[in-house]
Amino acid sequence: MLADYRLAVASREASLIGRKEVFMGKAKFGIFGDGKEVAQLAMAKVFQNGDIRSGYYRDQTFMFAIGELTIKQYFAQLYADPSVVADPSSAGRSMNGHFATRMLDENGKWKNQTNYKNSSADVSPTASQMPRLLGLAYASKLYRNNKELGRLKDFSKSGNEVAFGTIGNASTSEGMFFETMNAAGVLQVPMLISIWDDDYGISVPKEFHTIRGSISAALEGFGRTDNMPGFEILKVKGWDYEGLIETYQTAEKVCREEHIPVMIHVTEMTQPQGHSTSGSHERYKSKERLKWEKDFDCISKLKEFILENKIESPEQLNEIEKEAKNEAKVARNEAWTDFMTGINAEQKEAVSLLKKSATQNQEINSLIDELEKTINPIRADAIRVVKKAIRILRTEHNDERNNLVKWILKQEKKNYERFSSHLFSESAESALTIVKVDPVYDSEPVLVDGREILQANFDKIFEMDPRVLAIGEDVGKIGDVNQGMAGLQEKYGELRLTDTSIRECTIIGQGIGCALRGLKPIAEIQYLDYLLYAIQILSDDLATLQYRTKGGQKAPMIIRTRGHRLEGVWHSGSPMGMIINSLRGIYVLVPRNMTQAAGFYNTILASDDPALIVEPLNGYRLKEKLPVNPGEFKTPLGIPEILREGSDVTVVTYGSMCRIVMDAASQLSDTGIECEVIDVQSLLPFDINHSIVESLKKTNRIIFMDEDVEGGTTAYMMQQVLEVQGGYQFLDSLPATLTSRPHRPAYASDGDYFSKPNSEDVFDKVYSMIAEANPSKFPDLYN
Ligand SMILES: Cc1ncc(C[n+]2csc(CCOP(=O)(O)OP(=O)(O)O)c2C)c(N)n1
Ligand SMILES: [Mg+2]
């Protein structure tokens, strides 16, 4: 109890001095765990090796208590120290209070999670920790019930791990919270969610947030009964040390042993310093409330308890307090010194190079002065000054100026590594390292429906790797709405291919959590149009995971969906621009047929990267040759394919448009125009070997076509080819795009024809480009 008291006081002190650091200009923003300390100590007591947390920014005391964060590291994150050693959670990339443990080693390989107390990496958007939490808990259910997973000893001991969640009271109003709670209740997974209830969400009090003003009252119907499964719902006060310890013990037992989800509603919490450094709570809390918060401060209450029960004398407690506060201050000082040491060294280097270059130059001397006088300099200060000096010296060609340039180039490399590395996996298993394996065919290949190619490939995948699982609406019993997984649940069981309710966001979260625990989920979104329900969690959580932990965590999973073109407003979307712009950090693959799609599944499953694979929705019943090496052939990432060679114009496209363009290309050929048709196949990454510009060098004309809106993915592809690949130099005609109309596609065949690019549109677009160059041979068709 005394150790708890000591840690609580140290943690509080870290919060108090953290706020001051921000106001002194040493850090940019601060959000702290003051007022939430004691409940977190109780939670830490039942958190075991192998368990994993998915929580939010108030949890510093818990992280200290499980031994996965030091106060010094806590301050390093506040200062944004870009070193992984200083801030193991995020290497300075996340603002303070965003916790994570390093679940990967330096080579990007999984550590043995059962030997550690784990925390998945926090994000700022409220309740976004919930979908992932579901998956973390679901993984335990799989490890317990799927005996084939027994050999994965680094991730689980018979599924005994509990996934601990934390969330603020106001954030429980988010849809993701309710979606997760319902799913966890349905699935009966060992998820123990704590709600830290301080009656407020920033300035807004509880009556504006929650029906009946209480999340446990609101969720009474989620509670289990004698004959109906559900949640174990417990309620306890945030300042009641004994009550908290008892509650967490009861909760953990039922959660761990029986796999019953538990919700602990921790009420009467306080927030002594208000929400964050962005404001003060005196503006919105009444005098009475502020007084109550003082009286019911959990640390003061713990002190009262210790004294009332004569566990320790007041003098001894004062001594403990003094030591604890000092510990926080020392940690702050050490973190600051370490943080500044790196910056100061760089600044010194810059100043010394500048001085050498500035013997006669007053302008540079005053820049040096400015730099040396900067209080609490940041790395950018030295860069700015050196760049200015290089500009001033631009006409000089001497060693001094060259050394400044060299220094900038060296710093650019270092700062790229500090601030821009690890958007994707950088391990030996990166998807970019997986090489092409061609599909192999019999001498007289059988022609089958595209969906049968997928089915044969998935069958092999499930046979080869017990870690692979598929979850989604209708993927189980009927093997998805297009039967790409038909019959596989019967063969591999309900734990491998699992029907879920209609909840796209938490289907993705379920996948993220499973992937974080060593499994290989294929999370299915039934139609591309419904990816919108999950785009936030994909963008904020999955896409940022490697980056925000600087390679400390990964979630190699596949998002399987189908789209581009079929019927009507909500079953034929192709919002690829939205997707590639919001999902940097996830590979985005757009195969033209099911053989290419199957090859992408095989590539991604062999890698440790996440990817979205969009199957062409109208291709399931089109005939393709059946390969004899399912599960083995691999479509490489970022490698376009030339579908038809031609010398007059390069047409760049992907997905369902490939067939339409090929049809138009053969009609154009009849009129004497030869198109080179290129299927880019993968949008992220895009044409890594710059092969498209090679085609442009030959044809000198280029058109980008797809089913997105104008300015969407065609604009992206154009930028890549003309700017990144330098294609602008080879143009003899204005580069062009052909896209859908800006509205959603209308229903039925005419709706499709007049909304999306069709063969005639492609023909006309190409023809008019060639006609402009050679009007006598190709007269205007419509004038
Ligand atoms: C989606 C989203 N909306 C708004 C915010 C800004 N915001 C950050 S914390 C917060 C209040 C959260 O209150 P609560 O869940 O009760 O947690 P507390 O801070 O009180 O512990 C808000 C509105 C955010 N981070 N994410
Ligand atoms: Mg709150």
Side-chain angles (χ1 to χ4, degrees):
M1 194 185 298
L2 294 175
D4 280 349
Y5 183 68
R6 185 195 164 101
L7 183 53
V9 173
S11 178
R12 175 67 59 88
E13 187 67 10
S15 299
L16 299 176
I17 55 183
R19 188 176 172 89
K20 290 190 191 124
E21 295 297 276
V22 175
F23 292 140
M24 280 166 61
K26 287 164 74 183
K28 293 213 75 179
F29 173 80
I31 191 151
F32 306 104
D34 46 314
K36 317 281 191 291
E37 292 94 346
V38 174
Q40 293 179 27
L41 292 165
M43 181 166 116
K45 286 187 196 303
V46 296
F47 194 91
Q48 296 185 9
N49 280 359
D51 288 349
I52 186 158
R53 162 192 173 277
S54 181
Y56 81 118
Y57 49 79
R58 300 282 179 216
D59 290 347
Q60 68 201 46
T61 314
F62 170 79
M63 294 302 294
F64 296 146
I66 61 168
E68 284 299 330
L69 182 73
T70 65
I71 302 179
K72 182 176 168 186
Q73 289 166 340
Y74 179 74
F75 278 104
Q77 190 179 46
L78 183 71
Y79 302 136
D81 193 319
S83 139
V84 162
V85 180
D87 167 23
S89 298
S90 73
R93 291 178 179 190
S94 281
M95 61 167 57
N96 90 307
H98 287 59
F99 308 108
T101 52
R102 298 204 76 74
M103 294 164 71
L104 304 177
D105 67 18
E106 313 71 56
N107 300 317
K109 289 202 173 310
W110 292 114
K111 291 185 192 166
N112 184 333
Q113 291 179 11
T114 67
N115 291 340
Y116 294 93
K117 298 191 164 74
N118 307 287
S119 172
S120 62
D122 295 357
V123 292
S124 296
T126 47
S128 290
Q129 67 271 41
M130 295 299 296
R132 167 180 7 113
L133 175 64
L134 177 72
L136 295 171
Y138 182 67
S140 284
K141 178 172 172 166
L142 295 177
Y143 281 116
R144 181 170 288 180
N145 296 307
N146 180 358
K147 299 298 167 222
E148 280 181 274
L149 297 175
R151 69 176 172 83
L152 292 172
K153 302 229 178 301
D154 284 357
F155 297 96
S156 180
K157 291 189 171 150
S158 313
N160 290 334
E161 302 75 24
V162 171
F164 285 77
T166 66
I167 186 168
N169 57 299
S171 303
T172 64
S173 306
E174 295 278 13
M176 280 183 281
F177 174 79
F178 287 94
E179 194 176 308
T180 302
M181 293 297 278
N182 177 57
V186 168
L187 292 170
Q188 290 290 288
V189 289
M191 174 179 118
L192 198 167
I193 173 82
S194 300
I195 288 114
W196 303 149
D197 190 348
D198 55 15
D199 294 328
Y200 283 85
I202 311 188
S203 66
V204 182
K206 64 181 175 191
E207 53 273 25
F208 293 111
H209 287 295
T210 309
I211 192 159
R212 296 167 70 181
S214 157
I215 193 65
S216 51
L219 290 188
E220 261 169 29
F222 281 51
R224 61 177 176 150
T225 63
D226 288 344
N227 43 23
M228 287 292 276
F231 267 78
E232 177 78 12
I233 298 179
L234 303 165
K235 202 172 159 184
V236 60
K237 294 181 170 53
W239 48 264
D240 175 6
Y241 182 74
E242 274 188 307
L244 282 161
I245 287 179
E246 243 178 62
T247 304
Y248 274 92
Q249 278 170 352
T250 312
E252 180 240 6
K253 198 167 153 52
V254 47
C255 197
R256 195 182 301 282
E257 290 174 10
E258 298 174 55
H259 276 194
I260 305 241
V262 183
M263 178 179 101
I264 304 182
H265 184 191
V266 184
T267 60
E268 300 194 18
M269 284 185 142
T270 67
Q271 213 164 82
Q273 303 190 105
H275 177 76
S276 72
T277 50
S278 300
S280 73
H281 60 160
E282 287 79 9
R283 284 187 301 161
Y284 51 81
K285 285 180 187 162
S286 67
K287 276 203 184 77
E288 295 72 41
R289 170 76 195 189
L290 289 168
K291 179 175 180 320
W292 178 86
E293 291 209 9
K294 269 215 160 65
D295 294 345
F296 284 82
D297 185 294
C298 61
I299 300 184
S300 312
K301 282 278 181 194
L302 177 54
K303 186 171 182 176
E304 273 172 31
F305 182 81
I306 293 171
L307 293 174
E308 268 165 22
N309 290 284
K310 302 206 170 15
I311 294 160
E312 190 53 281
S313 67
E315 295 74 31
Q316 276 305 313
L317 279 191
N318 284 345
E319 199 49 42
I320 289 175
E321 283 166 25
K322 234 168 75 191
E323 280 172 21
K325 287 180 186 177
N326 192 46
E327 186 193 338
K329 288 198 180 88
V330 169
R332 184 262 323 260
N333 293 345
E334 286 179 0
W336 179 253
T337 307
D338 284 5
F339 174 58
M340 287 311 294
T341 303
I343 294 179
N344 287 334
E346 284 179 22
Q347 173 155 342
K348 244 173 108 178
E349 230 177 60
V351 167
S352 131
L353 291 173
L354 285 163
K355 280 186 173 159
K356 281 183 196 147
S357 72
T359 37
Q360 312 290 332
N361 194 313
Q362 203 37 49
E363 233 182 317
I364 293 185
N365 278 320
S366 63
L367 282 175
I368 296 172
D369 232 33
E370 182 191 315
L371 186 57
E372 283 187 314
K373 280 194 192 133
T374 312
I375 303 167
N376 301 339
I378 57 173
R379 289 195 157 81
D381 292 325
I383 301 279
R384 264 189 221 115
V385 165
V386 173
K387 284 198 165 178
K388 274 186 196 164
I390 289 171
R391 282 176 224 155
I392 294 166
L393 301 171
R394 66 188 175 278
T395 53
E396 294 185 20
H397 299 283
N398 53 30
D399 280 356
E400 287 70 29
R401 182 181 176 279
N402 287 347
N403 287 339
L404 289 175
V405 172
K406 267 193 216 149
W407 187 80
I408 282 288
L409 297 178
K410 184 180 82 178
Q411 293 312 110
E412 256 172 23
K413 251 196 197 149
K414 281 190 183 171
N415 288 325
Y416 181 87
E417 198 276 328
R418 282 181 187 125
F419 299 106
S420 300
S421 73
H422 292 91
L423 180 56
F424 292 94
S425 168
E426 295 186 4
S427 81
E429 293 167 80
S430 151
L432 300 180
T433 65
I434 311 291
V435 291
K436 184 178 186 190
V437 178
D438 284 320
V440 177
Y441 298 101
D442 275 341
S443 51
E444 282 175 43
V446 199
L447 280 178
V448 296
D449 286 351
R451 70 132 195 117
E452 292 175 72
I453 305 223
L454 282 178
Q455 199 271 357
N457 195 65
F458 281 130
D459 191 356
K460 195 73 193 170
I461 284 171
F462 277 90
E463 182 193 304
M464 290 191 309
D465 191 343
R467 295 173 302 173
V468 177
L469 61 125
I471 46 172
E473 298 149 21
D474 305 292
V475 305
K477 203 170 184 70
I478 64 167
D480 84 55
V481 283
N482 292 92
Q483 296 171 29
M485 293 180 171
L488 300 185
Q489 187 189 62
E490 224 169 292
K491 196 164 170 187
Y492 298 102
E494 290 182 17
L495 293 170
R496 303 287 306 283
L497 293 103
T498 310
D499 284 320
T500 69
S501 55
I502 307 169
R503 48 177 180 78
E504 287 74 14
C505 170
T506 50
I507 289 171
I508 296 302
Q510 208 172 330
I512 297 171
C514 285
L516 270 165
R517 293 193 58 200
L519 299 171
K520 294 244 166 198
I522 300 173
E524 167 153 326
I525 301 296
Q526 200 159 76
Y527 296 99
L528 183 58
D529 306 67
Y530 308 133
L531 194 76
L532 272 164
Y533 278 65
I535 203 86
Q536 179 271 333
I537 206 70
L538 285 168
S539 182
D540 286 330
D541 194 359
L542 184 62
T544 64
L545 182 64
Q546 280 259 359
Y547 176 77
R548 73 181 190 265
T549 57
K550 202 181 181 196
Q553 295 185 8
K554 61 182 175 183
M557 66 179 285
I558 291 177
I559 302 101
R560 178 185 184 213
T561 189
R562 49 192 72 87
H564 301 316
R565 190 181 283 255
L566 194 69
E567 268 336 319
V569 175
W570 290 283
H571 294 84
S572 53
S574 189
M576 299 312 299
M578 171 192 83
I579 290 167
I580 58 172
N581 288 336
S582 58
L583 300 188
R584 305 289 158 115
I586 299 173
Y587 288 126
V588 176
L589 311 173
V590 281
R592 68 180 174 276
N593 61 30
M594 301 310 166
T595 307
Q596 299 306 101
F600 277 137
Y601 286 109
N602 298 336
T603 299
I604 295 301
L605 285 169
S607 83
D608 67 352
D609 272 302
L612 167 71
I613 299 177
V614 185
E615 295 165 13
L617 185 45
N618 58 4
Y620 294 104
R621 301 202 184 285
L622 297 176
K623 298 292 180 200
E624 293 179 40
K625 292 184 292 178
L626 182 68
V628 294
N629 57 343
E632 284 165 23
F633 60 92
K634 295 186 177 73
T635 316
L637 266 56
I639 309 291
E641 247 181 54
I642 298 177
L643 301 184
R644 177 190 177 109
E645 292 196 14
S647 51
D648 296 325
V649 55
T650 300
V651 179
V652 180
T653 192
Y654 60 88
S656 301
M657 276 295 287
C658 289
R659 271 193 317 118
I660 288 159
V661 171
M662 287 298 278
D663 176 37
S666 90
Q667 296 182 45
L668 282 156
S669 176
D670 294 341
T671 55
I673 298 171
E674 296 302 333
C675 297
E676 178 132 308
V677 180
I678 300 183
D679 174 11
V680 303
Q681 306 204 82
S682 99
L683 294 172
L684 296 178
F686 183 85
D687 188 14
I688 49 181
N689 297 326
H690 294 192
S691 66
I692 298 174
V693 75
E694 296 306 316
S695 170
L696 181 54
K697 281 181 193 169
K698 183 171 74 175
T699 63
N700 307 109
R701 293 187 171 81
I702 193 159
I703 311 181
F704 300 88
M705 300 185 180
D706 76 356
E707 302 178 36
D708 199 356
V709 294
E710 65 175 346
T713 306
T714 48
Y716 163 76
M717 295 194 292
M718 189 189 273
Q719 178 265 343
Q720 290 288 308
V721 176
L722 299 193
E723 183 185 342
V724 178
Q725 301 188 6
Y728 72 95
Q729 312 164 68
F730 308 104
L731 289 171
D732 282 346
S733 291
L734 188 71
T737 62
L738 178 67
T739 60
S740 289
R741 301 251 185 256
H743 52 75
R744 300 285 184 99
Y747 173 55
S749 300
D750 267 351
D752 174 71
Y753 188 87
F754 293 106
S755 302
K756 295 223 165 198
N758 53 57
S759 278
E760 284 67 40
D761 294 333
V762 175
F763 186 101
D764 291 349
K765 192 84 191 178
V766 173
Y767 185 91
S768 66
M769 184 178 271
I770 301 298
E772 189 215 26
N774 191 351
S776 56
K777 188 163 175 207
F778 300 104
D780 194 331
L781 290 176
Y782 301 108
N783 262 324

